[in-house]
Amino acid sequence: LRNKLPRYMHPSYNITVQSLPLTANGKVDRKKLPDPDIAATTVYEAPRTATERELTVIWEELLQRSPIGIHDNFFALGGHSLKGIRLMVRVAKAFNRRASIRTI
């Protein structure tokens, strides 16, 4: 896929299933698909500095997940554009610095 699709269309993870669960109408039943084990793909590394710790607290509050390590990806953990905007505002208040959504 990386050779055929632009970067923003690359999947974050792949899982293998023996068969796709179907609804009565023959469509894929997305609710019955197994959840990916995201934790298995990322090695947790705790925040090392006060800045990293403060950013981690902000991320954990916005994403309602814990723990979040320094190598975790905001969008892979459930972040989206609206949460990204909230993150920008929180970072600006906490550090008196502006960050663009592109930086996030």
Side-chain angles (χ1 to χ4, degrees), residues 3 9 13-15 20 27 34 36 48 51 58 60 63 67 70-71 75 77 86 93 96:
N3 294 331
M9 294 180 77
Y13 47 84
N14 295 317
I15 57 171
L20 294 173
K27 296 180 180 180
R48 301 162 297 198
T51 301
I58 294 170
E60 288 174 349
L63 298 173
I70 62 170
H71 298 294
F75 295 102
L77 294 176
R86 291 183 196 134
K93 286 180 182 178
N96 199 26

Side-chain angles (χ1 to χ4, degrees), residues 66-81:
S66 183
I68 294 179
I70 62 170
H71 298 294
D72 288 329
N73 181 297
F74 181 78
F75 295 102
L77 294 176
H80 49 71
S81 58

Side-chain angles (χ1 to χ4, degrees), residues 10-73:
H10 294 180
S12 300
Y13 47 84
N14 295 317
I15 57 171
T16 303
V17 292
Q18 295 210 349
S19 63
L20 294 173
L22 302 177
T23 65
N25 295 331
K27 296 180 180 180
V28 175
D29 190 345
R30 294 174 186 262
K31 294 178 183 174
K32 291 186 179 176
L33 288 171
D35 290 327
D37 187 8
I38 296 173
T41 61
T42 305
V43 176
Y44 173 76
E45 188 172 340
R48 301 162 297 198
T49 66
T51 301
E52 287 177 351
R53 282 190 289 277
E54 193 163 350
L55 286 170
T56 299
V57 168
I58 294 170
W59 280 37
E60 288 174 349
E61 289 173 0
L62 285 173
L63 298 173
Q64 297 180 354
R65 295 182 76 114
S66 183
I68 294 179
I70 62 170
H71 298 294
D72 288 329
N73 181 297

